[in-house]
Amino acid sequence: MIPRRTRFARAAAAVAAGALPCLAFPAPALWWWAYAALVPWMLLLRSAPTARRAALEGWLGGAGFILAVHHWLLPSLHVFLLPVAALLGVLWIPWALLVRSLLGGAPPPGRAAAALVLVPAGWLLSELVRSWQGLGGPWGLLGASQWQVGPALRLASMGGVWLVSLLVVAVNCAVVLLVAVPAARVPAVAGLAGCAVLTGAAWQWAPRPEVSGGLRVAVVQPGPVADGPDSAERRFAAGERLTRALAGRPLDLVVWGESSVGADLAARPDLARRLAALSAEVGAPVLVNVDARRPAEAGAATAAGAAARGGGGGGEGIFKSSVLVGRDGPTGDRYDKMRLVPFGEYVPARSVLGWATSVGRAAGEDRRRGAAPVVMELPDGAGVRIGPLVCFESAFPDMGRHLVREGAGLLVAQSATSTFQESWAPAQHASLAALRAAETGRPVVHATLTGISAVHGPSGEPVGPRLPVSASTAEVYEVPLSRGTTAYLRFGDWAVAASVLLLAGCGAAAGVRALRLRRPAPGPSAPPAHTARG
């Protein structure tokens, strides 16, 4: 029996240890810390006296991780962030049991070698489940902390951010073996060498995007606008002023941030005319983002047009939509955001959880979802097509991959993090563009209302300056286009599938072995029966 004081100390240590990886993400961005950040937590789990205790400390550490990585949500969710963290923390219980089973005590070399593969696979399973949109999406994946590390981005081009997560956890596991299990130092060193060889091989032989031309893209960031009944009009006017200042410079595309237009363009033809005039003045189409209620008749027309193009949503309600506007007005290309932010844009199970609107900034009305991704062709853009993503959607690896496979040569993420200006959120969000670029081998433009706006080339490398938080400015970027494919673009989430199959296979083998051990040994055979003749 563990003394009560020790139990409380271990519980507090689990929460703190689970929170440590947050320092590897922006804004601190201590990327190197990720390779040792899990060590304290894993050392605690391997020393748990019982499986029940390991499960508890895995749950508490997972909750600590969610709280630390998403702490900037407190202004919106307030106390509701605590039950959310507690719910998601449950996802780390299987991983914690795996750590104790494989690393606990004095594991022999064979079990230690298995841990170097299975423990990262178990972590990835936790990341996979919580990446479901209904549980908050893939924000804070461990591999995403390596967004500015060239070799890690090359790994992402092979297996997505998932492969980078596997590598980071494998290194942490090897460090645990080196620190706590002297007899397992040989497999630990071999594991570290294997990670180095894999990274070096990716750096040397992974296909690199071939640059094929470029686009001159202007990012318009209006900066903070004080809340008020006319805030949408003032934000529109600021974007208009900054865009007009670009006149006379050769441009191929102008991008505004999320919620840059606060009224449906069908309901406000005056705004559509102003945008068309702006496009004619600067000589380039303008990609805006409309955050507004769409009338039922406009929704029906949009749905009919979307059916022909494969995207868009119908019906009355509030949509967040990327709309391309040329010199003659809206081109007809419109993408309605598909994956909405839980609580920020809709409340899951509103009949049960609707009270969240009274304690935070949860959505008072659920936004409507789009039907499908949309690839837009730029007018006079020499066949260049763009794939729009709206805000939170840039966190999903599969969405960027789908758009590029459908022909997008440039990914454009329109975002707004103005609610979280003084937090780590703007830097965390901007960093995701580097990963999506590396995964797909296509450049990514991340345009925001209030910063941080950034552009990354087809290998994930930064292009031009980042527009800082609260800056009111416009910047023109020479964005390199590319052709070719990456392994991730071709094969998708193979690293996830391999991890799931590996865990399933090992679980099945362990189950068969347990059944054999429980089966009673056969008794002595009966002597043969004798007949009268025998």
Side-chain angles (χ1 to χ4, degrees):
M1 177 67 69
I2 307 176
R4 185 175 182 181
R5 181 175 297 180
T6 303
R7 291 201 303 270
F8 284 132
R10 287 184 65 98
V15 175
L20 287 176
C22 76
L23 298 175
F25 294 90
L30 305 176
W31 64 266
W32 48 267
W33 171 240
Y35 295 93
L38 298 179
V39 171
W41 189 9
M42 294 171 72
L43 289 174
L44 187 71
L45 293 173
R46 72 177 294 273
S47 68
T50 65
R52 178 179 294 183
R53 188 72 206 182
L56 173 64
E57 291 168 1
W59 172 52
L60 292 173
F65 177 81
I66 294 297
L67 283 171
V69 174
H70 298 80
H71 71 274
W72 43 269
L73 284 172
L74 278 169
S76 292
L77 294 185
H78 291 285
V79 70
F80 198 73
L81 184 58
L82 294 175
V84 169
L87 171 65
L88 295 179
V90 171
L91 299 177
W92 274 271
I93 290 177
W95 178 75
L97 295 174
L98 199 61
V99 170
R100 181 180 181 273
S101 173
L102 294 173
L103 296 177
R111 180 148 57 97
L116 291 169
V117 178
L118 294 176
V119 168
W123 178 277
L124 200 64
L125 190 62
S126 301
E127 289 198 333
L128 174 66
V129 175
R130 77 178 180 90
S131 294
W132 177 50
Q133 178 198 340
L135 291 178
W139 193 283
L141 301 181
L142 196 56
S145 66
Q146 306 303 293
W147 65 277
Q148 55 188 327
V149 182
L153 291 174
R154 192 62 54 77
L155 282 174
S157 75
M158 293 179 60
V161 66
W162 314 108
L163 184 59
V164 184
S165 287
L166 283 173
L167 178 86
V168 171
V169 181
V171 171
N172 276 272
C173 191
V175 173
V176 169
L177 290 171
L178 287 173
V179 169
V181 188
R185 285 177 180 168
V186 171
V189 171
L192 290 174
C195 291
V197 168
L198 173 63
T199 305
W203 181 260
Q204 185 68 31
W205 290 300
R208 298 171 185 259
E210 182 182 350
V211 175
S212 58
L215 283 180
R216 291 180 59 84
V217 179
V219 173
V220 175
Q221 181 178 295
V225 172
D227 291 335
D230 63 341
S231 58
E233 293 285 348
R234 286 184 284 114
R235 183 179 297 112
F236 186 97
E240 193 176 30
R241 172 179 53 81
L242 291 167
T243 304
R244 186 169 288 117
L246 298 170
R249 304 176 66 176
L251 294 173
D252 297 299
L253 176 66
V254 178
V255 182
W256 288 16
E258 180 188 13
S259 304
S260 48
V261 179
D264 185 76
L265 295 180
R268 288 286 304 274
D270 59 314
L271 295 182
R273 287 192 295 270
R274 286 165 66 181
L275 287 170
L278 202 59
S279 172
E281 189 172 348
V282 299
V286 183
L287 184 70
V288 299
N289 187 270
V290 177
D291 183 1
R293 183 175 301 281
R294 186 182 305 166
E297 58 274 13
T302 298
R309 294 187 300 274
E316 183 180 4
I318 302 175
F319 290 82
K320 285 193 175 183
S321 307
S322 299
V323 180
L324 191 62
V325 182
R327 61 179 67 244
D328 298 322
T331 65
D333 286 325
R334 178 179 191 134
Y335 166 64
D336 295 331
K337 185 177 183 181
M338 296 171 58
R339 297 184 182 174
L340 305 178
V341 180
F343 297 99
E345 294 169 337
Y346 79 102
V347 176
R350 183 177 286 274
S351 60
V352 177
L353 301 177
W355 59 270
T357 61
S358 63
V359 297
R361 299 176 185 173
E365 177 183 348
D366 291 350
R367 268 50 175 176
R368 299 291 302 275
R369 301 179 190 273
V374 174
V375 176
M376 306 175 179
E377 186 157 352
L378 295 182
D380 304 321
V384 176
R385 306 175 76 194
I386 64 172
L389 298 166
V390 182
C391 194
F392 168 68
E393 292 179 329
S394 68
F396 292 85
D398 66 299
M399 294 198 72
R401 176 175 179 263
H402 177 84
L403 287 168
V404 172
R405 287 175 65 88
E406 291 296 313
L410 171 68
L411 298 178
V412 180
Q414 297 174 293
S415 170
T417 50
S418 51
T419 305
F420 311 105
Q421 281 298 92
E422 305 304 321
S423 73
W424 295 358
Q428 284 185 16
H429 202 175
S431 70
L432 298 173
L435 290 155
R436 302 294 85 84
E439 289 167 345
T440 60
R442 299 295 184 271
V444 177
V445 172
H446 179 80
T448 71
L449 288 181
T450 57
I452 297 172
S453 297
V455 177
H456 288 267
S459 293
E461 75 281 9
V463 174
R466 291 158 67 86
L467 305 185
V469 171
S470 298
S472 178
T473 185
E475 184 72 30
V476 178
Y477 296 85
E478 297 279 355
V479 181
L481 299 177
S482 62
R483 58 187 175 192
T485 188
T486 65
Y488 179 74
L489 197 58
R490 181 175 298 174
F491 301 112
D493 299 331
W494 63 265
V496 174
S499 296
V500 171
L501 289 174
L502 182 64
L503 290 169
C506 290
V512 169
R513 191 162 50 248
L515 286 175
R516 287 178 177 174
L517 290 175
R518 291 179 183 178
R519 185 179 300 167
S525 59
H530 294 280
T531 65
R533 295 180 181 179

